[in-house]
Amino acid sequence: MRIRGAVLEEIGRGRPYAGTVPITVCDLELGDPGPTEVLVAIEAAGVCHSDLSVVDGNRPRPLPMLLGHEAAGTVLKVGERVADLVAGQRVVMSFLPRCENCDACDRGGQLPCSAGTRSNTAGELLHHAGHLSRGGDRVRHHLGVSGFATHAVVDRASVVAVGDDVPAEVAALFGCAVLTGGGAVLNVADPSAADSLMVVGLGGVGMAALLTAKAVGVQRVIAVDRMPEKLAMAKELGAAETYTPEQVRAEGIRARYVVECAGHPAAFETAYAATAPGGMTITVGLPAPNATVTLPPLTLTAEARTIVGSYLGSAVPARDIPRYEQLWREGRLPVERLISARIELEQINEAMDLLADGKAVRQIIVFGQNTP
Ligand SMILES: [Zn+2]
Ligand SMILES: [Zn+2]
């Protein structure tokens, strides 16, 4: 079928992207879903830092690639081996499909599935080389989703069913920002109400970590970012204290759990320095492959500390998304407050500029009438 989508043509074009236009919005051909796959009409897609990381070259991927990995929509068609979904079911996309058949998948959400990681890196689907083309030329899938498009074909393992009462823009956020930030809190830290929890780096993932910590009753949530506007927003979302990284160091602020969400070595060093004795530094950010940090290892031993890396919030999406859905339904996880703008697909290059400048938490691409 004919679809419209946002295709990254070249990595590393200069800024502003509004001028250099690394992403073109164009018509593409989308093949039919295979036996284990579903066709989804996309209703909303979030613009995430991991999309920007492909555009700016921090996470190099094969090109051209139809971007977008945080999305939600309605199933239009299912492959013959998909027994548990029907047309009309609303779904959230999840960007790390699980094969349920490898050593990593045997260990819950602790490790990324090796088959899913392989297909994601290749720009393919879990059980198929890909269904996207343009003028006969292959276009790669982004993280098994490619949600910056009117429609997507994805593996069954890349979607989780969601209730009809959840707006698409909220559902989309569950798939990356909330799974990652929320998962760092629930799956890794698992704090009690009396524990202090600090979030370093207040993009969509960091704000979702903050909201989740609040949702489970953590009293002392500390928010850290360089940008005063983000600290103001964190305060509105319920952070008890807000600081710049410089203030954290100068005032010696420390917390039992510190979640690093910026994906930058300096943020990791701030997070480590702010971790209390006996505490845990959790990192979910994705820095550039050649980035390094300097740490005083004595504190790791002498203060009995832990450093944990967590990909996608150590999530098992089919287990975790219903939990976030329920918290949202109870009014305890107001993730719609993370939405800083609703935009059209054609504004994608401008959206990347705003994200790169730290001026957006979550911009949501809203798709109009998706007539199959
Ligand atoms: Zn993301
Ligand atoms: Zn697996």
Side-chain angles (χ1 to χ4, degrees):
M1 71 184 288
R2 204 106 184 112
I3 66 164
R4 198 153 176 78
V7 176
L8 175 63
E9 311 287 356
E10 194 187 347
I11 281 171
R13 279 201 197 160
R15 300 273 319 278
Y17 298 130
T20 62
V21 197
I23 305 168
T24 47
V25 176
C26 55
D27 289 343
L28 299 99
E29 254 332 292
L30 179 65
D32 279 339
T36 65
E37 294 166 346
V38 297
L39 169 66
V40 179
I42 307 289
E43 287 155 13
V47 182
C48 169
H49 221 278
S50 301
D51 298 298
L52 177 62
S53 295
V54 186
V55 177
D56 68 18
N58 270 332
R59 301 279 287 171
R61 301 279 176 185
L63 299 181
M65 175 175 275
L66 203 170
L67 292 179
H69 61 277
E70 183 183 81
T74 298
V75 173
L76 296 181
K77 201 185 210 180
V78 304
E80 68 254 24
R81 280 168 49 203
V82 178
D84 57 349
L85 286 179
V86 293
Q89 173 66 54
R90 299 185 66 249
V91 288
V92 178
M93 307 287 198
S94 134
F95 69 79
L96 181 69
R98 290 197 165 274
C99 74
E100 303 299 350
N101 216 358
C102 70
D103 289 347
C105 283
D106 281 344
R107 296 177 56 179
Q110 278 177 4
L111 266 179
C113 166
S114 45
T117 301
R118 195 162 40 237
S119 61
N120 277 359
T121 304
E124 301 182 348
L125 299 182
L126 188 59
H127 295 114
H128 197 284
H131 295 284
L132 289 165
S133 62
R134 184 175 53 178
D137 295 330
R138 179 181 186 188
V139 172
R140 309 285 179 139
H141 293 255
H142 185 217
L143 300 178
V145 174
S146 286
F148 292 168
T150 53
H151 301 79
V153 167
V154 302
D155 199 90
R156 167 67 187 90
S158 296
V159 298
V160 175
V162 69
D164 286 343
D165 60 328
V166 185
E169 56 191 38
V170 168
L173 288 170
F174 287 158
C176 174
V178 178
L179 269 188
T180 307
V185 174
L186 297 188
N187 295 329
V188 187
D190 194 18
S192 68
D195 288 324
S196 52
L197 186 142
M198 180 187 289
V199 180
V200 179
L202 300 173
V205 170
M207 293 291 189
L210 187 168
L211 282 181
T212 306
K214 292 295 297 174
V216 297
V218 176
Q219 297 296 313
R220 189 171 173 227
V221 180
I222 305 161
V224 179
D225 200 281
R226 292 188 183 286
M227 313 272 293
E229 313 86 76
K230 289 195 171 166
L231 295 180
M233 180 176 170
K235 201 108 214 187
E236 280 169 31
L237 294 178
E241 301 161 39
T242 60
Y243 302 99
T244 63
E246 294 71 25
Q247 287 172 322
V248 167
R249 285 188 186 256
E251 297 176 31
I253 309 296
R254 296 175 93 177
R256 170 97 193 253
Y257 298 103
V258 184
V259 185
E260 185 280 309
C261 303
H264 192 280
F268 184 84
E269 288 173 355
T270 297
Y272 184 74
T275 305
M280 186 185 282
T281 314
I282 301 161
T283 179
V284 299
L286 293 167
N290 58 354
T292 56
V293 295
T294 305
L295 300 177
L298 176 63
T299 50
L300 199 57
T301 315
E303 296 185 357
R305 297 214 232 149
T306 310
I307 301 174
V308 183
S310 170
Y311 187 73
L312 182 58
S314 308
V316 177
R319 174 196 71 195
D320 296 357
I321 285 179
R323 189 171 180 192
Y324 298 120
E325 191 181 348
Q326 191 52 34
L327 285 171
W328 173 84
R329 205 169 271 129
E330 291 166 5
R332 293 161 66 194
L333 193 68
V335 296
E336 56 276 1
R337 294 178 68 184
L338 304 184
I339 299 170
S340 44
R342 292 168 181 82
I343 62 170
E344 305 209 352
L345 190 58
E346 279 68 19
Q347 295 168 271
I348 186 65
N349 288 292
E350 290 80 357
M352 291 293 169
D353 282 322
L354 286 174
L355 194 59
D357 290 336
K359 289 184 180 149
V361 174
R362 260 310 183 264
Q363 305 170 85
I364 298 275
I365 302 167
V366 180
F367 292 88
Q369 282 73 43
N370 267 321
T371 37

